[in-house]
């Protein structure tokens, strides 16, 4: 055996030596002396091998010169190698969820619904082109594969839209409603919102009734649970569209959540007996909802007050009992994210369970040495977050966070790296496949952006630390007081870096979706997050585990005390923080910033610095544009004009709070000015009373004048027909924009006056009036609606409203 081993080793050394010699021969420089050119003789024929072949003269190639030329030459030499290195790292796979997200978002942004066969047909064609192009051009094949992934995202979104098929209420109606309770949310003001599965309607009998809706009762029914029946007289409304173009769309999100209407009960509804729901899933969901309600009541009984409501929200995900001033303080201070059961909470639960169990198992030397205790702890952590998923209500954000943590814990159990960009990409692909509508919501954007930025940060820091250690060696570990100081410094630095990076990544989407940023969010998170991580959430886990033993009350009280400290920090910071309103961000700026963030975080080589290009584009596009002249709500009854000084002049003394807040945030309007009551809004104001933008109103009409682009725009809003015959037609020419917020109404002007009728607003939603130019270059008012001319499936119910059919509302 020894001889054969030595012979094998010698043979291996011989092969290595030969390979080294071949490599040295092939890479050695060629000396000119070794080159032999045969002599040229006059007798040799042209085809003779001794005849030199004269190369065909070519025009000289113009090469870039100067500094720019050298840069381009260097890039052309380095880019292919960097791309190959990125491919070795698996970076192309990381862009798969980005392309799927782009496809789903593109489908939802289409101006019209594509035919059902269009996207599958496009996929087939793209697949054939990819198969043919792959034989000839690698670049063409990659372009086709990119298009296929985007089309898959679009097709997935369309399939979910067709599969959901939520029945939506088309017009407001009052009916006797009977339904089965699916969810109960008790608010801080004492009212209760019920989510009901509709069982029957009568007086009138609705032909196109939603399967599920939400109704609020100021006087709630007594002694009801999920699964019980309710009956009462209810006023139902269709789900509203965006309050402004580009705003939050209740109809879109409600359609994918399965809610087809909302409304309220007249008086207290009655409890009635109803049949049990069909299917084990609905019955199980009802039992889980009752368990959540029971748990929330138990926590609030142990710790009453605002802190107890916050503690209950952290455990069962029910935020309805938190007073609005507390919510506002958390939003302004940058701590509102702790109320949404998301990746932070799932990670804290999983980390607490895993570290505790692993530490306990490690106390047994034989057990720790003979078994993979880390996998046992990861399995227990998975079970914990699975239970937490349903205790917290299994909302969209909670489901997404569970998927992310489940993928990471699964990687641990398979001896893979738990926290990695690949695992995050897998989680994103699963979320997009399950719920493609979530990709256009703020929760998806903020959660994945913050997680991706943190993974990229610590991945880069770890690689820098390893490279430094290779150059200089590892530093000796400190001991004693030096070790405590060093560990404390590392913890504070890590917490600060986490808050800065996660806050910056998620703040981009907070600015886009909410038009607000937490100016002092870093300070608040540095002060509050250690309390959340080391006190509040561990106490929540310990108290929940102590319920079977009946000793959970004091622990929940301690948890509420720590939550009270968090609220104190939030309120202190909110009182001293600026409002943080930044105005509406253009969609193009958000897309460019998203591309920069994804490119910077997903690439590993120097190519990541190419993210500077889309970042600069985003910075250019984010410049504040000129505000619109006026904003009109979708029912036409509420309007506001924006004066040159930025003040928001409204036409109602008590405007709708949600619409007003949306308009203020979108245009960073710090001042709201209520209308001036006058007898005749058409009369010229007296001297000193006609400020620019002021709304002058009576019970039927409001008028205003706004200056924009060196022109004056005159606006009239009619909430009811004028009494005098022909008075409405007489307004043509006197005003540049006329809003007829009643039905039936018709456009009666032929002189170019912009007319908006109740029918226009009912079909196409809220509107913004801007100043454009006509073909001759003259200034002319223009309108931009929140909804396109072709109604998508989640807006198709709008055409059935009475206003959309130009019919008067029922009295």
């Amino acid at each position: 055996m020894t001889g054969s081993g030595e012979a094998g080793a010698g043979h291996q050394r011989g092969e290595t030596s030969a390979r080294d010699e071949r490599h040295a021969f092939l890479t050695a420089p060629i000396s000119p002396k070794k080159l032999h050119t045969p002599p040229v003789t006059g007798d040799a024929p042209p085809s003779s091998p001794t005849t030199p072949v004269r190369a065909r003269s070519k025009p000289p190639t113009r090469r870039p010169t100067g500094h720019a030329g050298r840069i381009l030459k260097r890039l052309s030499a380095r880019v292919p190698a960097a791309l190959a290195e990125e491919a070795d790292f698996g970076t192309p796979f990381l862009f798969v969820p980005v392309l799927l997200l782009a496809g789903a978002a593109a489908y939802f942004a289409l101006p019209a619904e594509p035919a059902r066969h269009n996207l599958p047909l496009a996929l087939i064609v793209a697949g054939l082109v990819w198969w043919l192009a792959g034989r000839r051009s690698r670049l063409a094949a990659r372009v086709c594969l990119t298009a296929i992934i985007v089309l898959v995202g679009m097709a997935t979104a369309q399939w979910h839209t067709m599969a959901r098929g939520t029945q939506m209420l088309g017009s407001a109606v009052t009916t006797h409603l009977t339904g089965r309770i699916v969810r109960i949310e008790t608010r801080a003001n004492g009212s209760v919102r019920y989510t009901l599965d509709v069982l029957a309607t009568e007086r009138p009998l609705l032909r196109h009734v939603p399967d599920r809706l939400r109704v609020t009762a100021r006087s709630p029914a007594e002694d009801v649970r999920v699964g019980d029946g309710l009956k009462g007289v209810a006023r139902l409304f269709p789900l509203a569209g965006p309050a402004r173009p580009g705003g939050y769309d209740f109809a879109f999100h409600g359609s994918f959540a399965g809610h087809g209407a909302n409304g309220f009960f007249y008086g207290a509804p009655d409890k009635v007996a109803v049949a049990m729901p069909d299917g084990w899933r609905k019955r199980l969901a009802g039992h889980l909802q009752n368990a959540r309600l029971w748990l929330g009541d138990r926590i609030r009984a142990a710790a009453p007050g605002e802190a107890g409501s916050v503690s209950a929200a952290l455990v069962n995900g029910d935020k309805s009992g938190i007073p609005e001033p507390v919510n506002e303080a958390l939003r302004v201070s940058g701590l509102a994210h702790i109320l949404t059961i998301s990746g932070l909470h799932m990670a804290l639960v999983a980390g607490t369970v895993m570290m505790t169990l692993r530490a306990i198992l490690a106390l047994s030397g034989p057990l720790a040495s003979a078994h993979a205790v880390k996998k046992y702890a990861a399995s227990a952590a998975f079970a914990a977050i699975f239970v937490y998923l349903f205790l917290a209500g299994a909302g969209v954000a909670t489901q997404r966070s569970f998927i992310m943590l489940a993928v990471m814990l699964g990687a641990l159990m398979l001896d893979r790296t738990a926290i990695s960009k690949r695992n995050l990409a897998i989680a994103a692909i699963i979320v997009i496949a399950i719920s493609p509508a979530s990709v256009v919501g703020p929760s998806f954007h903020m959660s994945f952006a913050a997680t991706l930025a943190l993974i990229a940060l610590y991945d880069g820091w770890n690689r820098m630390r390893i490279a430094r250690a290779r150059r200089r060696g590892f530093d000796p570990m400190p001991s004693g007081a030096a070790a405590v100081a060093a560990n404390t410094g590392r913890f504070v630095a890590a917490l600060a870096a986490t808050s800065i990076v996660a806050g910056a990544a998620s703040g981009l989407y907070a600015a886009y979706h909410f038009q607000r940023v937490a100016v002092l969010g870093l300070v608040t998170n540095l002060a509050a997050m250690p309390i959340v991580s080391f006190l509040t959430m561990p106490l929540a886990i310990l108290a929940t585990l102590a319920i079977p033993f009946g000793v959970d009350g004091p622990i929940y009280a301690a948890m509420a005390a720590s939550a009270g400290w968090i609220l104190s920090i939030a309120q202190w910071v909110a009182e001293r923080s600026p409002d943080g309103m930044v105005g509406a961000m253009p969609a193009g700026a958000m897309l460019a910033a998203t591309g920069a963030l994804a490119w910077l975080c997903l690439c590993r080589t120097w190519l990541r610095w190419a993210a500077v290009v889309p970042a600069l584009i985003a910075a250019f596009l984010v410049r504040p544009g000129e505000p619109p002249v006026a904003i009109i709500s979708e029912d036409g009854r509420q309007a506001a004009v924006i004066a040159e000084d930025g003040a928001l002049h409204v036409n109602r003394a008590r405007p709708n709070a949600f619409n007003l807040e949306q308009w203020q945030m979108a245009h960073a309007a710090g001042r709201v000015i209520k209308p001036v009551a006058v007898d005749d809004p058409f009369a010229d104001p007296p001297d000193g009373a006609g400020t620019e933008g002021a709304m002058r109103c009576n019970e039927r009409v409001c008028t205003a004048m706004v200056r924009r682009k060196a022109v004056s725009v005159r606006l009239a809003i009619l909430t009811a027909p004028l009494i005098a015959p022909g008075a409405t037609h007489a307004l043509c020419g006197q005003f540049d924009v006329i809003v007829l917020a009643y039905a039936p109404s018709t456009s009666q002007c032929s002189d170019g006056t912009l007319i908006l009728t109740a029918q226009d607003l009912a079909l196409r939603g809220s509107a913004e009036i801007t100043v454009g130019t006509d073909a001759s270059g003259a200034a002319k008012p223009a309108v931009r609606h929140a909804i396109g001319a072709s109604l998508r499936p989640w807006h198709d119910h709008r055409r059935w409203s009475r206003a959309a059919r130009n019919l008067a509302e029922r009295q």
Side-chain angles (χ1 to χ4, degrees):
M1 296 297 293
T2 304
S4 61
E6 292 176 352
H11 178 67
Q12 184 176 5
R13 286 194 298 270
E15 285 189 344
T16 304
S17 176
R19 185 166 59 249
D20 293 341
E21 291 177 1
R22 288 195 301 269
H23 178 73
F25 173 77
L26 293 174
T27 58
I30 302 176
S31 173
K33 295 182 179 181
K34 296 183 179 181
L35 293 176
H36 173 69
T37 303
V40 180
T41 61
D43 299 337
S47 59
S48 170
T50 60
T51 304
V53 180
R54 298 183 61 185
R56 182 179 298 177
S57 62
K58 295 182 180 180
T61 303
R62 296 186 62 182
R63 298 183 179 275
T65 57
H67 185 64
R70 289 193 296 271
I71 292 177
L72 290 177
K73 183 178 180 181
R74 187 176 301 175
L75 286 177
S76 63
R78 295 185 61 189
V79 166
L83 290 175
E85 188 176 355
E86 294 285 358
D88 293 338
F89 284 128
T91 303
F93 174 76
L94 304 180
F95 280 93
V96 170
V98 177
L99 297 176
L100 290 174
L101 185 151
Y107 164 77
F108 292 126
L110 290 175
E113 184 69 15
R116 296 188 176 187
H117 62 273
N118 282 357
L119 290 177
L121 184 61
L123 266 174
I124 294 173
V125 172
L128 290 175
V129 173
W130 173 62
W131 180 68
L132 294 174
R135 300 182 174 184
R136 296 174 178 168
S137 171
R138 181 176 297 181
L139 177 61
R142 290 175 177 173
V143 172
C144 291
L145 184 59
T146 300
I148 288 172
I149 298 173
V150 173
L151 287 172
V152 167
M154 296 181 70
T156 302
Q158 186 179 38
W159 182 85
H160 275 267
T161 302
M162 295 186 298
R164 173 60 67 177
T166 302
Q167 178 67 50
M168 309 285 283
L169 185 68
S171 184
V173 64
T174 301
T175 184
H176 289 70
L177 173 69
T178 303
R180 183 190 301 112
I181 302 176
V182 176
R183 187 168 184 174
I184 301 175
E185 299 168 272
T186 303
R187 296 177 174 175
N189 60 4
S191 64
V192 178
R193 185 170 70 173
Y194 300 100
T195 302
L196 302 179
D197 281 343
V198 178
L199 301 179
T201 59
E202 53 186 345
R203 290 180 290 171
L205 174 66
L206 303 183
R207 291 180 297 173
H208 303 286
V209 61
D211 297 323
R212 180 171 290 183
L213 47 77
R214 289 174 171 175
V215 285
T216 301
R218 292 186 178 180
S219 302
E222 296 182 359
D223 191 27
V224 293
R225 304 168 67 244
V226 173
D228 293 339
L230 286 182
K231 183 176 182 179
V233 181
R235 180 66 173 173
L236 304 180
F237 302 94
L239 296 183
R244 63 173 183 85
Y248 184 86
D249 193 343
F250 286 97
F252 173 84
H253 293 282
S255 173
F256 284 96
H259 306 140
N262 56 24
F264 61 87
F265 279 116
Y266 289 104
D270 298 322
K271 179 181 178 180
V272 295
V274 295
M276 293 291 292
D278 297 331
W280 65 270
R281 292 184 179 179
K282 290 185 177 180
R283 290 194 292 270
L284 178 60
H287 292 314
L288 289 172
Q289 289 297 329
N290 284 324
R292 293 179 62 230
L293 292 173
W294 173 83
L295 183 59
D297 292 340
R298 191 178 183 95
I299 296 172
R300 284 186 287 269
E306 298 174 351
S309 297
V310 171
S311 300
L314 292 175
V315 176
N316 71 351
D318 183 8
K319 299 180 287 185
S320 60
I322 301 176
E324 183 56 30
V326 174
N327 284 321
E328 182 65 14
L330 291 171
R331 282 193 291 265
V332 173
S333 63
L335 285 178
H337 63 90
I338 70 171
L339 296 180
T340 302
I341 308 299
S342 57
L344 169 68
H345 306 75
M346 286 283 181
L348 289 175
V349 170
T352 301
V353 172
M354 185 173 175
M355 288 189 296
T356 302
L357 184 59
R358 191 174 181 184
I360 294 173
L361 294 178
L363 294 177
S364 172
L367 179 64
S369 60
H371 299 274
V373 295
K374 181 176 71 172
K375 295 184 179 181
Y376 297 160
S379 302
F382 177 82
I385 63 172
F386 183 77
V387 173
Y388 191 34
L389 168 68
F390 292 101
L391 280 182
V396 175
T398 312
Q399 293 179 27
R400 182 184 60 254
S401 305
F402 170 78
I403 291 171
M404 291 171 59
L405 265 296
V407 170
M408 294 178 183
L409 291 173
L412 271 181
M413 289 185 278
L414 295 175
D415 295 320
R416 303 286 184 180
T417 303
I419 303 176
S420 68
K421 298 175 188 178
R422 177 176 290 271
N423 290 344
L424 183 66
I426 294 172
I429 292 171
I430 296 173
V431 170
I432 295 171
I434 294 175
S435 178
S438 66
V439 305
V440 296
S443 181
F444 181 95
H445 293 165
M446 297 174 72
S447 177
F448 273 98
T451 306
L452 175 61
L454 289 175
I455 292 176
L457 170 69
Y458 288 110
D459 178 62
W461 174 81
N462 190 47
R463 286 189 281 118
M464 290 174 58
R465 182 178 61 87
I466 294 174
R468 176 177 175 273
R470 287 175 177 172
R471 292 193 307 267
R472 301 171 50 185
F474 288 97
D475 296 330
M477 295 294 293
S479 59
V484 174
N487 291 333
T488 303
R490 291 192 193 97
F491 173 77
V492 173
L495 183 61
T498 299
S499 299
I500 293 172
V501 172
S506 60
L508 164 68
Y509 299 99
Y512 176 75
H513 289 285
F514 308 119
Q515 299 83 49
R516 169 186 276 180
V517 294
V519 180
L520 301 179
L522 174 61
V523 176
T524 315
N525 281 273
L526 285 175
M529 289 314 297
I531 302 175
V532 176
S533 303
F534 296 108
L535 283 178
T536 308
M537 291 306 297
L539 286 172
I541 299 170
L542 182 61
T544 305
L545 293 176
I547 289 177
F549 306 100
V551 295
D552 55 298
I555 307 177
Y556 277 131
M559 175 191 175
S562 67
W565 300 341
I566 298 170
L567 294 182
S568 298
I569 294 171
Q571 291 165 351
W572 187 87
V573 173
E575 291 172 357
R576 292 158 177 80
S577 176
D579 55 31
M581 290 190 297
V582 296
M585 179 188 296
M590 188 272 291
L591 293 175
T594 300
L597 178 65
W599 191 268
L600 178 66
C601 294
L602 295 180
C603 292
R604 287 176 59 101
T605 65
W606 61 268
L607 289 177
R608 64 181 179 273
W609 301 116
V612 173
V613 177
L616 292 176
I617 295 174
F620 176 79
L621 295 176
V622 82
R623 296 180 305 169
E626 188 174 46
V629 171
I631 317 167
I632 315 296
S633 65
E634 65 178 10
D635 63 359
R637 299 185 179 277
Q638 182 169 335
V641 296
I642 304 175
E644 287 188 322
D645 61 358
L648 201 68
H649 296 259
V650 296
N651 70 326
R652 295 171 66 174
R654 297 178 62 185
N656 179 278
F658 178 79
N659 286 345
L660 182 61
E661 181 186 19
Q662 291 288 295
W663 296 348
Q664 278 188 273
M665 291 296 177
H667 304 291
R671 292 190 303 141
V672 176
I673 302 176
K674 295 184 178 181
V676 178
V678 296
D679 294 330
D680 185 7
F682 301 118
D684 292 334
D687 293 339
T691 58
E692 187 260 342
M695 283 278 193
R696 306 174 67 248
C697 303
N698 63 14
E699 66 276 4
R700 290 176 178 268
V701 183
C702 284
T703 61
M705 186 273 294
V706 186
R707 294 186 181 90
R708 197 74 84 243
K709 291 185 177 179
V711 298
S712 297
V713 179
R714 297 160 298 172
L715 180 75
I717 304 168
L718 282 67
T719 56
L722 298 179
I723 298 176
T728 303
H729 181 71
L731 300 178
C732 299
Q734 298 183 33
F735 292 90
D736 302 292
V737 181
I738 301 176
V739 179
L740 305 178
Y742 57 86
S745 59
T746 56
S747 177
Q748 302 175 356
C749 297
S750 57
D751 59 352
T753 301
L754 178 61
I755 302 290
L756 276 179
T757 65
Q759 185 177 29
D760 298 329
L761 295 168
L763 284 171
R764 302 197 57 189
S766 58
E768 288 183 348
I769 309 299
T770 59
V771 176
T773 55
D774 57 15
S776 63
K780 179 181 178 181
V783 60
R784 183 169 73 102
H785 283 281
I787 298 171
S790 179
L791 298 178
R792 302 297 298 276
W794 47 90
H795 290 145
D796 189 64
H797 65 283
R798 301 182 68 92
R799 59 192 178 98
W800 299 111
S801 69
R802 294 185 64 82
R805 292 176 285 165
N806 207 22
L807 299 175
E809 292 293 334
R810 290 190 178 96
Q811 299 298 323

